[in-house]
Structures are given as C-alpha cells and as structure tokens.
Amino acid sequence: MNDSARRAEQWASLVGAFFAPRLGGTPEAWAQANRDMAPLWMSSRRLAPDFDAHWRMYDLAWLASMCRIVGVPAPPEAEAIALAQAGARHITSRVHAAVPGAADAIRELAARGHALHTASSERSAELAGYLEAMGVRHHFGHLFGPDLVNEWKDGPAYYERIFAYAGVGPADAVVVDDSPQAVSWAKAAGCRALLVGTDIATLADLPRLLA
C-alpha cells in the first residue's frame, strides 16, 4: 500500500520534528540519526523470542542509538520505550507515501462489501497510522500486526492465527503481498494469494481482478 522509499525519507524528517523539541538537538541531526539507524529497523533479527519483548527492546535500542548519534542524553528505559512508541504513532499518521491507486482500490473493495484486514509484519498501531494518513483506516477491521496474534510473520502459522482471530475460513480469504515468501506461506495455510508484481501489477488492479 505504501512506497517504502518515499516512506523512509518522510520518516527521517518527521523523526527530527518529533524528537528534537522533546530531547534536544536539531531536527536535521535527528533525521540523519534515523537514516543511520536504518540497518536496525530493516533487520529481521529477533531481539527476544516473544514478539512484545522484542519490540520493547527494539524501541529502546532505536531511541538510545539515535540519542547517542545526536549527542543528547537518553531517557530512562520505561520513558524511552513510551516515547519511541508515541513517536512511531505520531510519525506513521503523517506519512503520505501511498502507492498510486491503492486508496481508491481499498474504497472500492469496501464499497463492494469485502471485509478488509491487514496481514503485515508491522505493529497494529503503526499500521493504523499509515492507513489514517491514507484516509482509509475505517475500511479495515483487524490490523494484523503480529502483536495481535503473538505470532511472527515467518510461516503458515501466522496466517492460520489471523484467520482464526478474524473468524475467516482460509478458503474464503485472499491474501495480497509483495513478498513471494509470504505468498507461499499464505497458500500453505489454505487460502488464495496474489503476488504484487506478478499476479497483479499493483493493489490498484485488485478490484478488477476480484470482479
């Protein structure tokens, strides 16, 4: 739904605007620190076996590392985690990087009566922000988010859990993803799955295909 390259650069600017007034330093220094931290948030390395514990450790490492780069003191642990999470919620709701036609496709699918949910590796609160920025949050039910089902998006079990959580039979679901691996996991869980870039060019093509 979002262009990752456009989203990343907006994140850098928004990080600066959010953290500089709260912790000191310049917005430009925070923006560069966020760019420098890209390998951390792009990494799939698990910091803890439990999903929630992993993200608490990630939030702490992300903010503490940026503080070190900017040259300002990091807040105490609990405050740092809360501030990192508040920053992420603030930033995601202000990112405008939707793939052309994606928002219109979502509105059309919702108008036809399709039940829409996400199936992402990102946290549900951040997914809500991106969808709010697109103006389509109200068209979605559950925002999966491994945090909703306490299951990593790394195999068929993730999809089995989100289907059970949503009360949807796999045979009644269609998963759309730009990852061939994710598409294979979804199919292994018993649903139909479409690969963006192969089965459909972009999300904008989905209403026509389902019709």
Side-chain angles (χ1 to χ4, degrees):
M1 292 184 284
N2 276 258
D3 182 321
S4 297
R6 289 166 55 207
R7 184 169 74 174
E9 193 50 39
Q10 289 182 47
W11 255 84
S13 175
L14 290 163
V15 160
F18 182 85
F19 286 109
R22 292 165 172 82
L23 295 176
T26 66
E28 294 77 16
W30 279 98
Q32 187 57 50
N34 182 74
R35 296 185 190 100
D36 292 344
M37 291 307 301
L40 172 67
W41 57 260
M42 289 294 288
S43 171
S44 59
R45 181 171 65 91
R46 297 184 187 182
L47 304 177
D50 176 75
F51 185 84
D52 289 338
H54 160 84
W55 276 107
R56 286 194 298 274
M57 293 176 67
Y58 170 91
D59 288 331
L60 184 61
W62 177 60
L63 184 54
S65 297
M66 288 196 298
C67 285
R68 185 176 63 252
I69 294 169
V70 174
V72 297
E77 181 173 318
E79 182 183 342
I81 292 171
L83 187 61
Q85 293 176 352
R89 290 191 297 269
H90 175 90
I91 291 163
T92 54
S93 65
R94 288 161 174 78
V95 167
H96 297 283
V99 172
D104 288 338
I106 289 166
R107 295 185 185 100
E108 184 174 348
L109 291 169
R112 292 183 188 177
H114 293 288
L116 304 177
H117 310 286
T118 60
S120 175
S121 58
E122 297 188 68
R123 286 178 284 189
S124 55
E126 294 170 17
L127 295 169
Y130 291 128
L131 294 173
E132 287 164 7
M134 293 174 66
V136 296
R137 169 63 186 94
H138 59 291
H139 291 308
F140 284 82
H142 303 296
L143 302 182
F144 306 107
D147 55 305
L148 291 194
V149 291
N150 197 29
E151 181 69 43
W152 297 85
K153 185 179 176 180
D154 62 0
Y158 170 77
Y159 293 95
E160 292 166 0
R161 286 206 179 186
I162 68 174
F163 295 150
Y165 191 109
V168 175
D172 297 321
V174 177
V175 168
V176 181
D177 207 297
D178 59 3
S179 163
Q181 196 170 39
V183 165
S184 70
W185 293 331
K187 289 180 177 178
C191 74
R192 292 168 290 175
L194 302 172
L195 179 62
V196 175
T198 300
D199 300 316
I200 58 173
T202 70
L203 189 63
D205 297 324
L206 186 58
R208 175 188 55 79
L209 183 62
L210 293 183

